[in-house]
Amino acid sequence: EPEVTQTPSHQVTQMGQEVILRCVPISNHLYFYWYRQILGQKVEFLVSFYNNEISEKSEIFDDQFSVERPDGSNFTLKIRSTKLEDSAMYFCASKLDSGSNQPQHFGDGTRLSIL
Amino acid sequence: DAKTTQPNSMESNEEEPVHLPCNHSTISGTDYIHWYRQLPSQGPEYVIHGLTSNVNNRMASLAIAEDRKSSTLILHRATLRDAAVYYCIRIPASALIFGKGTTLSVSS
């Protein structure tokens, strides 16, 4: 069964450094998402992406964050200048189309640790 | 705001059925109900979804109340691998809004 893959599984970065988290969504999916989960807390929506544009974003997704689909397969999340509070699990998800009856398929996440 | 209400935790024994309730009293007519689960150290995993009718798939069954204000996820025979956090989510829009979910413990 096709799956969403994320790399790296664990990223350790110094505060203030830039970090790029990578995701390969399911190949025929059109909608892409990033979520994060701080340890012990809820999964939080960050951003959704469709047709090479951000379609929706949360308050968490400020100017420090950006997303890109640089080629036909990868979907990336960049944090420009990391802060301690960015430490979390980051999950990528993809969905076939816009229908509300379509499930989102998640990767296993990247654990981001900011020192 | 997840706009669904679930018990914080439930316990089950292996090979017994589990009924996980969810309240969504403010649901609108076009909102789907989706269930996801999150096993330890993994990303959320889709389980099942429905709109009005009861639904079955290889993982679970979903029973939706006639007035659609509540639903129940049914695991017919719990296994140790079913121990996870289960999330009931209304889908009026694209983004998933997760609540705290129900933590299901399964004992052998």
Side-chain angles (χ1 to χ4, degrees):
Chain A
E1 188 173 320
E3 56 182 27
V4 175
T5 56
Q6 292 186 241
T7 55
S9 56
H10 190 190
Q11 173 80 47
V12 181
T13 301
Q14 292 287 331
M15 186 172 58
Q17 296 296 305
E18 175 184 285
V19 66
I20 297 176
L21 308 182
R22 302 182 192 281
C23 169
V24 178
I26 294 173
S27 61
N28 61 338
H29 284 192
L30 301 177
Y31 286 77
F32 313 112
Y33 305 83
W34 283 102
Y35 295 81
R36 80 172 185 190
Q37 186 175 30
I38 295 170
L39 186 64
Q41 297 188 23
K42 297 185 292 186
V43 178
E44 300 174 290
F45 166 71
L46 293 179
V47 66
S48 60
F49 192 85
Y50 167 70
N51 200 25
N52 278 321
E53 289 184 347
I54 290 174
S55 48
E56 190 179 358
K57 61 182 181 179
S58 71
E59 291 178 354
I60 303 168
F61 194 87
D62 62 21
D63 292 344
Q64 291 298 312
F65 291 90
S66 62
V67 289
E68 194 177 35
R69 189 156 162 80
D71 53 42
S73 59
N74 290 287
F75 179 50
T76 62
L77 174 69
K78 182 194 291 187
I79 308 175
R80 261 179 271 282
S81 178
T82 50
K83 303 187 279 272
L84 292 176
E85 53 264 40
D86 293 327
S87 295
M89 284 291 293
Y90 287 81
F91 296 109
C92 172
S94 69
K95 191 168 84 159
L96 179 63
D97 60 37
S98 62
S100 296
N101 60 342
Q102 288 294 330
Q104 292 187 21
H105 297 261
F106 285 78
D108 279 336
T110 292
R111 178 175 301 282
L112 178 62
S113 300
I114 308 299
L115 305 179
Chain B
D1 180 5
K3 297 184 180 177
T4 61
T5 305
Q6 299 178 251
N8 289 333
S9 62
M10 291 186 67
E11 294 180 356
S12 174
N13 294 316
E14 211 175 1
E15 300 197 4
E16 288 186 358
V18 182
H19 290 232
L20 297 165
C22 179
N23 232 307
H24 30 81
S25 57
T26 60
I27 195 169
S28 75
T30 55
D31 292 354
Y32 277 83
I33 294 297
H34 284 231
W35 283 80
Y36 286 77
R37 71 180 185 180
Q38 188 175 20
L39 279 63
S41 303
Q42 294 188 24
E45 174 188 27
Y46 165 77
V47 178
I48 200 167
H49 75 273
L51 184 61
T52 55
S53 306
N54 295 344
V55 184
N56 300 295
N57 68 19
R58 63 177 177 83
M59 290 181 71
S61 296
L62 177 60
I64 301 175
E66 203 170 320
D67 63 7
R68 298 208 335 118
K69 293 185 177 182
S70 65
S71 60
T72 302
L73 178 71
I74 302 165
L75 307 179
H76 294 286
R77 290 181 64 201
T79 68
L80 295 177
R81 197 193 172 276
D82 292 322
V85 181
Y86 286 79
Y87 301 100
C88 165
I89 302 176
R90 287 171 48 184
I91 310 291
S94 183
L96 297 178
I97 306 300
F98 288 83
K100 294 182 180 179
T102 297
T103 300
L104 175 66
S105 304
V106 180
S107 303
S108 58

